[in-house]
Coordinates of all heavy atoms in Angstrom, one line a residue:
M13 N 70.3 -195.5 -155.6 CA 69.6 -196.2 -156.7 C 69.2 -197.6 -156.1 O 68.1 -198.1 -156.3 CB 70.5 -196.4 -157.9 CG 70.8 -195.2 -158.7 SD 72.1 -195.4 -159.9 CE 71.3 -196.6 -161.0
A14 N 70.1 -198.2 -155.4 CA 69.8 -199.6 -154.8 C 68.7 -199.5 -153.8 O 67.8 -200.4 -153.8 CB 71.1 -200.2 -154.2
E15 N 68.7 -198.5 -153.0 CA 67.7 -198.4 -152.0 C 66.3 -198.1 -152.6 O 65.3 -198.6 -152.2 CB 68.0 -197.2 -151.0 CG 69.2 -197.6 -150.1 CD 69.6 -196.4 -149.2 OE1 69.4 -195.2 -149.6 OE2 70.2 -196.7 -148.1
N16 N 66.3 -197.3 -153.7 CA 65.1 -197.0 -154.4 C 64.5 -198.2 -155.1 O 63.3 -198.4 -155.3 CB 65.3 -195.9 -155.4 CG 64.0 -195.5 -156.0 OD1 63.0 -195.0 -155.4 ND2 63.9 -195.6 -157.4
A17 N 65.4 -199.1 -155.6 CA 65.0 -200.4 -156.2 C 64.2 -201.2 -155.3 O 63.2 -201.9 -155.7 CB 66.2 -201.1 -156.7
I18 N 64.5 -201.2 -154.0 CA 63.7 -201.9 -153.0 C 62.4 -201.1 -152.7 O 61.3 -201.7 -152.7 CB 64.5 -202.2 -151.8 CG1 65.6 -203.3 -152.1 CG2 63.6 -202.7 -150.6 CD1 66.5 -203.7 -150.9
A19 N 62.6 -199.9 -152.4 CA 61.5 -199.0 -151.9 C 60.4 -199.0 -153.0 O 59.2 -198.9 -152.6 CB 62.0 -197.6 -151.6
S20 N 60.8 -199.0 -154.2 CA 59.8 -198.9 -155.3 C 59.1 -200.2 -155.6 O 58.0 -200.2 -156.3 CB 60.4 -198.4 -156.6 OG 61.3 -199.4 -157.1
G21 N 59.6 -201.3 -155.1 CA 59.1 -202.6 -155.4 C 59.6 -203.2 -156.7 O 59.2 -204.4 -157.0
K22 N 60.4 -202.5 -157.4 CA 60.9 -203.0 -158.7 C 61.8 -204.2 -158.6 O 61.6 -205.1 -159.4 CB 61.6 -201.9 -159.5 CG 61.9 -202.2 -160.9 CD 62.5 -201.0 -161.7 CE 62.8 -201.5 -163.1 NZ 63.4 -200.3 -163.9
A23 N 62.7 -204.2 -157.6 CA 63.6 -205.4 -157.5 C 62.8 -206.6 -157.2 O 63.1 -207.7 -157.7 CB 64.6 -205.1 -156.4
L24 N 61.8 -206.5 -156.3 CA 60.9 -207.7 -156.0 C 60.2 -208.2 -157.2 O 60.1 -209.4 -157.5 CB 60.0 -207.4 -154.8 CG 59.1 -208.6 -154.4 CD1 59.9 -209.7 -153.8 CD2 58.1 -208.1 -153.3
S25 N 59.7 -207.2 -158.0 CA 59.0 -207.6 -159.2 C 59.9 -208.4 -160.2 O 59.4 -209.3 -160.9 CB 58.4 -206.4 -159.9 OG 57.4 -205.8 -159.1
I26 N 61.1 -207.9 -160.3 CA 62.1 -208.6 -161.1 C 62.3 -210.1 -160.7 O 62.4 -211.0 -161.5 CB 63.4 -207.8 -161.2 CG1 63.2 -206.6 -162.2 CG2 64.6 -208.7 -161.7 CD1 64.3 -205.7 -162.2
L27 N 62.5 -210.2 -159.4 CA 62.6 -211.6 -158.8 C 61.4 -212.4 -159.1 O 61.5 -213.6 -159.6 CB 62.9 -211.6 -157.3 CG 63.0 -213.0 -156.7 CD1 64.2 -213.7 -157.2 CD2 63.1 -212.8 -155.1
E28 N 60.2 -211.9 -159.0 CA 59.0 -212.6 -159.2 C 58.9 -213.0 -160.7 O 58.5 -214.2 -161.0 CB 57.8 -211.6 -158.9 CG 56.5 -212.3 -158.9 CD 55.4 -211.4 -158.4 OE1 55.6 -210.2 -158.2 OE2 54.3 -211.9 -158.1
R29 N 59.2 -212.1 -161.6 CA 59.1 -212.5 -163.0 C 60.2 -213.5 -163.4 O 59.9 -214.4 -164.2 CB 59.2 -211.2 -163.9 CG 59.2 -211.4 -165.4 CD 57.9 -212.1 -165.8 NE 57.9 -212.2 -167.3 CZ 57.2 -213.1 -168.0 NH1 56.4 -214.0 -167.3 NH2 57.2 -213.1 -169.3
T30 N 61.4 -213.4 -162.8 CA 62.4 -214.3 -163.1 C 62.0 -215.7 -162.7 O 62.2 -216.7 -163.4 CB 63.7 -213.9 -162.5 OG1 64.1 -212.6 -163.0 CG2 64.9 -214.9 -162.8
I31 N 61.5 -215.8 -161.5 CA 61.0 -217.1 -161.0 C 60.0 -217.7 -161.9 O 60.0 -218.9 -162.3 CB 60.5 -217.0 -159.6 CG1 61.6 -216.7 -158.6 CG2 59.8 -218.3 -159.1 CD1 61.1 -216.3 -157.2
E32 N 59.1 -216.9 -162.4 CA 58.0 -217.3 -163.3 C 58.6 -217.9 -164.6 O 58.2 -218.9 -165.1 CB 57.1 -216.2 -163.6 CG 55.9 -216.5 -164.5 CD 55.0 -215.3 -164.7 OE1 55.3 -214.2 -164.2 OE2 54.0 -215.5 -165.5
L33 N 59.6 -217.2 -165.2 CA 60.2 -217.6 -166.4 C 61.0 -218.9 -166.3 O 61.2 -219.6 -167.2 CB 61.1 -216.5 -167.0 CG 60.3 -215.2 -167.5 CD1 61.3 -214.1 -167.8 CD2 59.4 -215.6 -168.7
H34 N 61.4 -219.2 -165.0 CA 62.1 -220.4 -164.7 C 61.2 -221.5 -164.4 O 61.6 -222.6 -164.1 CB 63.1 -220.2 -163.6 CG 64.4 -219.6 -164.0 ND1 65.6 -220.4 -164.1 CD2 64.8 -218.3 -164.2 CE1 66.6 -219.6 -164.5 NE2 66.1 -218.4 -164.5
G35 N 59.9 -221.3 -164.5 CA 58.9 -222.3 -164.2 C 58.5 -222.5 -162.8 O 57.8 -223.4 -162.4
G36 N 59.0 -221.5 -161.9 CA 58.8 -221.6 -160.5 C 57.5 -221.0 -160.0 O 56.9 -220.2 -160.8
D37 N 57.1 -221.2 -158.8 CA 55.9 -220.6 -158.2 C 56.2 -219.2 -157.7 O 56.7 -219.1 -156.6 CB 55.4 -221.5 -157.1 CG 54.1 -221.0 -156.5 OD1 53.6 -220.0 -156.9 OD2 53.5 -221.7 -155.6
S38 N 56.0 -218.3 -158.6 CA 56.3 -216.9 -158.3 C 55.5 -216.3 -157.2 O 55.8 -215.2 -156.7 CB 56.3 -216.0 -159.5 OG 54.9 -216.0 -160.1

């Protein structure tokens, strides 16, 4: 499951959205 979270791009998308919600440059 962890490997697929990276391979699918989902984990990176979650980091990107989290940065955005914190006001950061996603």
Side-chain angles (χ1 to χ4, degrees):
M13 291 170 65
E15 289 177 332
N16 185 60
I18 289 179
S20 67
K22 189 173 181 181
L24 182 62
S25 293
I26 284 174
L27 178 63
E28 187 173 13
R29 177 59 176 155
T30 300
I31 291 171
E32 183 181 358
L33 291 172
H34 277 261
D37 185 354
S38 61

